[in-house]
Amino acid sequence: MPGEVTRFAPSPTGLLHLGHAYSAFDAADAAAGGRFLLRIEDIDRTRCKPEFAAAIEQDLAWLGLDWERPVRRQSEHLADYQTALSDLDAMGLLYPCVLSRKELAAAFGPDSDDLTVVTDTDRVLDPELYAERLASGQPRALRLRMARAIARTGPLTWTDDRHGVRTARPERHGDVVLARKETPTSYHLSVTVDDALQGITLVTRGMDLFESTDVHRLLQALLGLPTPRYRHHDLLVDGTGTRLAKSHNSPSLRSLRDGGATPEAIRRKLGWAA
Ligand code: GLU
């Protein structure tokens, strides 16, 4: 649609690869005639590095993309996420999680298990021990009381340009963490708040985040934020069917460039006319 506001929102935890280029082209293309924004999702202070953030801008410019300035860096906007957390807290929807990873796994199953749904972690320990840990004043993660949140909003839907109208099923995510011990926000919270604050009308991103949208839709309803349209694209895979992701050591755009690839060749390879 004309006049779309879209964004590319990478986390600077490494160099961009072809999968990122695909996502960035998709977002920029969808904004043709509208606005294309870049957002640096750098809330994870241990994994995100300023040099990767700088490399992102250089690589996107090399690809021939242009985006509106200023770039929003999430680490500079923690107060916005704090406001959202305070609103959710005032609704009685947050609670501190005092359990260690080990205790969580013992109570709910290992993290890696897709079927693991963590709920009411404040009812796992005996109340005295729970109170004792809270009183120790250590930083704690904050979880959303999912059942209560859903009871408050009722059924929700969202629309994906490729997948139609979806019924949100945030309960499958359990009591999601909205603020981490080491950083006072989370991916789900900051992405939802930022998409609203930046006036994004169409969220384009990979299918790996398709199910997360159910949580984002719930947060929008709770916080009174608008719901954008979504367009989740398929993930790029290599010749062996393995997903092109940083974790699989796929070649970075930089190494492709250093090996002689041109931005035009990359565009063509990814299916965009040069
Ligand atoms: N920062 C996320 C990532 O790099 C993407 C967030 C989004 O597009 O919603 O995977």
Side-chain angles (χ1 to χ4, degrees):
M1 273 187 229
E4 219 62 91
V5 185
T6 68
R7 71 350 181 242
F8 175 54
S11 303
T13 54
L15 293 170
L16 298 186
H17 55 77
L18 282 175
H20 290 113
Y22 185 94
S23 264
F25 284 139
D26 194 34
D29 191 56
R35 298 167 57 208
F36 171 52
L37 311 183
L38 172 65
R39 183 165 75 227
I40 300 293
E41 302 214 322
D42 59 351
I43 52 172
D44 183 338
R45 280 183 237 154
T46 50
R47 294 179 59 227
C48 295
K49 305 269 179 274
E51 54 272 30
F52 290 134
I56 286 171
E57 296 203 45
Q58 290 157 8
D59 290 352
L60 293 177
W62 176 71
L63 286 175
L65 294 173
D66 196 13
W67 55 93
E68 221 176 88
R69 272 64 172 187
V71 171
R72 184 170 170 97
R73 288 167 211 286
Q74 290 190 324
S75 58
E76 293 169 1
H77 297 278
L78 297 181
D80 290 331
Y81 315 129
Q82 192 54 57
T83 304
L85 282 176
S86 305
D87 289 349
L88 294 169
D89 195 33
M91 296 174 216
L93 297 177
L94 297 183
Y95 67 92
C97 180
V98 302
L99 300 190
S100 66
R101 259 171 207 280
K102 240 183 171 173
E103 287 168 331
L104 284 169
F108 300 100
D111 224 7
S112 53
D113 184 348
D114 270 356
L115 299 174
T116 302
V117 175
V118 172
T119 54
D120 300 327
T121 71
D122 53 340
R123 292 176 202 159
V124 169
L125 297 180
D126 121 337
E128 255 174 51
L129 183 55
Y130 180 71
E132 207 175 283
R133 286 207 193 165
L134 272 190
S136 78
Q138 279 193 30
R140 302 292 181 193
L142 294 176
R143 289 184 182 272
L144 179 71
R145 188 89 68 194
M146 184 58 80
R148 204 181 283 172
I150 292 173
R152 193 178 169 108
T153 66
L156 297 168
T157 60
W158 51 275
T159 304
D160 185 287
D161 283 0
R162 297 180 61 216
H163 300 270
V165 177
R166 312 292 307 178
T167 298
R169 298 194 45 207
E171 65 279 6
R172 289 188 297 192
H173 297 259
D175 291 359
V176 282
V177 170
L178 292 188
R180 304 198 166 276
K181 250 194 307 209
E182 53 297 335
T183 182
T185 183
S186 66
Y187 163 65
H188 291 313
L189 184 72
S190 41
V191 85
T192 306
V193 167
D194 283 354
D195 283 338
L197 286 179
Q198 295 192 285
I200 304 299
T201 59
L202 174 67
V203 170
T204 58
R205 60 184 172 203
M207 276 303 282
D208 52 333
L209 293 167
F210 190 73
E211 289 181 358
S212 295
T213 306
D214 288 351
V215 176
H216 307 168
R217 179 66 190 93
L218 176 68
L219 291 174
Q220 287 155 7
L222 293 169
L223 294 166
L225 303 175
T227 303
R229 282 184 1 268
Y230 290 85
R231 188 167 86 201
H232 291 87
H233 62 73
D234 291 337
L235 299 174
L236 288 192
V237 292
D238 66 15
T240 67
T242 308
R243 190 183 145 198
L244 283 184
K246 287 168 279 188
S247 48
H248 294 117
N249 288 330
S250 66
S252 63
L253 292 177
R254 218 149 257 233
S255 64
L256 294 171
R257 181 192 68 190
D258 294 346
T262 61
E264 294 70 34
I266 288 180
R267 264 184 194 270
R268 266 197 311 274
K269 184 177 164 74
L270 296 175
W272 264 271

